[in-house]
Each structure stands twice: as C-alpha cells, then as structure tokens.
Amino acid sequence: MKSPYLFRLLGLLLGAAAACGACSSQQMAPGTGGAGGSQPDGSVGAGGTGGAAAQPDAGGAGGQAEATWPTGCAERPASIRTQGTIVELAFELVLGGKPFLFGEPNVAPDGSTVTPLNVRFYVSHAALIGADGDLVFVDIVGPDGAPTPYGVHFYNAEDPGSATLRLRVPPGSYQGVSFIWGLHQACNISRPETSVAPLSEASQMTWPHTGYLFLRYEGTVAPPAGGGPVDPDGGTARVPPAVHMGGNLVMDLAPSIEVRGALSVPASGATGKVVRVVMDEVFEGATADVDLTGFVPPPGPVGDELLAGERLRRGIPDLTVFAFGP
C-alpha cells in the first residue's frame, strides 16, 4: 500500500508551478535580499562578495564566498562569525498604534474588541542591510551568545523571554535588518518528532506533510458595544479569529522581510531596537481580496485560518508588518 504521504507529496509537486506564479519578490531562496529589489534566483550577493549569488554559500560573480548562512538545518549550527556586537531586537505587538496586549481585550480600529490567545512565529536567516544595500549575514544567538538551535528564533507571546531576537553583528552603520519570517526550507522539511525545541512538536507549529507553520495567530473578536457594524463602511470585521501561515515541502515559500531604518552598531557592548509587529497589517493581509490560485493546503478540511494565512503570505510585499519602533 502506498503511503498517504507520497500521495500528498505528489499533490504538492503538481501544485508547485501554479503556486510559484503567485510567489512575490519577498519569497525567495536564502541568500537574497528583501522586498522590492530581490529576485527568486538569489540575485543579491552577501556584503563584500561581489555580484549575484544564487546559492547561500556561493560567492557572487567576481567575488569570494565569505560569511553566509550555514546550509542544512543542524541542531548546533556553525557560527557565521565568532566576533561581533550583540544587537537585541525586541518584538512588540501593536494594534492601532497601541500595544496589543496578549490575553487581554484590545479595542481595534474597526471598533471590535480583540483578545489574542495564541501568537507564535519563527524567524530565521537574519542579516543586516549594509550602507550599499548588500546583506551582511549574521548569527541568531541566545543569551549565552551561542547560535540558537537550527539558527532559528521562536517568538511565543506566552513567553516574555522570547520577545528578544539577538543577533551577533560586525560593528558599523546599517540601513536596517532582513530576515525570513518563518523557516528556511532546510528546516521547514525537517521532522518535528526527531527535532528539539523550537522545532519539536511542543512548538504547536507543526503542519502535517507540509512542514511547519510560520505564523500562528488565534484570538476572539467581539463586535463594538451596542452592536452595529464593526467598521465605518458597515462591512464585516477586518479582524479574523485565526491566521495560520505556512509553506509546503516542495517550494521555499517563507517570506523575506526588510525592516528599514538607521542602525548603528558599536564595536563593544550591546545595542538594540524595538521592532513593532503591526497586527493591523497582519489582519489587513489576512482579509484582503487575494487570488489563491495554486494554494496547496495540508490534508483534511481547509479552514478559514489557512486561507487567511495564505492571503497574508501572498500580500506581504504590499504590507508593513514589521517596523522599527520610536
């Protein structure tokens, strides 16, 4: 008897070409730049390496292979660089320009009351954006300065300690930070039953036969006090109760994010910035009118949360989900 997994994989292969047609400039292989200027073939090389670099460990045309992200998905990844300054990026959820308080009622701009009950996401393949626009590849590290397992950061709103993304960065002046919102493909196709945190089954991010979720959001939404429409135009709520964004086992669909803004890294000590996670943009993307042609869902019934997640993933190039705080 053939495994259901094989049938699932065949379905993914058949849907891959159609799905690729919807890939944005932000959805690309590791070793590329971010939104608006990168190509899926990896046409932005690492800082100081020369021209195009289609593979994450390859030098650009006329350059040399220098510091790049490790290939594969090793539990204990090799350091990209052994020296540098720790940059701490503190994620802060916001809605309507105000803190989006986890587990508490928050008034949304549309007048509804939103209570977030589950907010989790992965960050991987981080880089700093140099003054010339090239990417400077950096390590994601823990409080001890060692690379995190698999080179991945896991944000979980229930764990305040997970709000800080730590990067080991060469000193200098930068235009911003770039990262994959989710898992790069080598980790996305790993098996959670044999992985340690944050890729274990305890993450609540596993997605049968399609890798992992990149973002998991769930909450409750109540209409404005006194009833009536939940937005000025009399439409339905712009805040979905759940958004599950992920990829698949065949294609690298994790979106790449750029957070633009001046970032000066000293030669010693530590520095940091607040990075706002703008939930207004998440909800806008999740409820937008987006063509979902080629979407290959996981087995079983397709819930609204999966469609919301795919709409968000495809709409990310036109959204500003992450932004430096004041």
Side-chain angles (χ1 to χ4, degrees):
M1 180 179 297
K2 294 185 178 180
S3 167
Y5 176 80
L6 294 178
F7 285 112
R8 184 64 192 157
L9 185 58
L10 177 60
L12 288 168
L13 287 167
L14 292 174
C20 189
C23 292
S24 72
S25 63
Q26 284 190 304
Q27 296 155 356
M28 59 197 124
T32 64
S38 304
Q39 297 298 322
D41 62 356
S43 58
V44 177
T49 62
Q55 298 298 326
D57 56 354
Q64 290 183 340
E66 294 184 356
T68 64
W69 297 304
T71 57
C73 188
E75 179 183 333
R76 297 182 180 180
S79 295
I80 295 173
R81 57 188 80 250
T82 58
Q83 296 182 333
T85 301
I86 300 300
V87 174
E88 296 186 342
L89 302 177
F91 290 119
E92 178 186 79
L93 305 178
V94 296
L95 181 67
K98 299 178 181 179
F100 189 43
L101 303 178
F102 181 75
E104 299 184 25
N106 301 263
V107 178
D110 66 7
S112 59
T113 299
V114 185
T115 303
L117 302 176
N118 200 344
V119 187
R120 301 162 186 254
F121 60 79
Y122 287 116
V123 169
S124 60
H125 277 189
L128 272 289
I129 304 170
D132 55 3
D134 284 344
L135 296 183
V136 179
F137 303 91
V138 299
D139 294 293
I140 297 177
V141 300
D144 60 356
T148 57
Y150 312 106
V152 167
H153 178 76
F154 180 44
Y155 174 90
N156 176 4
E158 296 182 69
D159 176 14
S162 72
T164 301
L165 169 66
R166 295 177 178 85
L167 309 176
R168 182 163 53 234
V169 176
S173 297
Y174 300 94
Q175 298 185 47
V177 62
S178 170
F179 54 82
I180 288 177
W181 191 18
L183 298 176
H184 59 91
Q185 194 67 351
C187 281
N188 187 50
I189 63 175
S190 63
R191 301 187 68 84
E193 64 271 21
T194 59
S195 300
V196 302
L199 301 187
S200 65
E201 293 175 319
S203 67
Q204 299 183 29
M205 300 289 278
T206 58
W207 207 7
H209 305 324
T210 58
Y212 293 79
L213 288 173
F214 303 151
L215 163 73
R216 180 172 182 174
Y217 167 82
E218 290 149 9
T220 62
V221 185
V230 296
D231 66 41
D233 299 324
T236 56
R238 300 293 293 175
V239 180
V243 181
H244 290 181
M245 181 182 72
N248 64 43
L249 293 175
V250 176
M251 301 180 64
D252 190 354
L253 298 178
S256 183
I257 299 293
E258 283 190 353
V259 186
R260 289 281 182 167
L263 179 60
S264 180
V265 179
S268 61
T271 188
K273 273 185 173 287
V274 171
V275 175
R276 289 182 165 178
V277 186
V278 186
M279 298 304 294
D280 312 66
E281 297 283 278
V282 171
F283 297 147
E284 179 178 339
T287 57
D289 183 12
V290 175
D291 182 5
L292 298 182
T293 300
F295 174 52
V296 183
V302 179
D304 291 341
E305 71 280 1
L306 302 182
L307 301 179
E310 181 64 4
R311 284 192 291 266
L312 170 63
R313 189 188 68 78
R314 297 190 185 200
I316 281 174
D318 299 319
L319 302 168
T320 305
V321 176
F322 295 87
F324 283 135

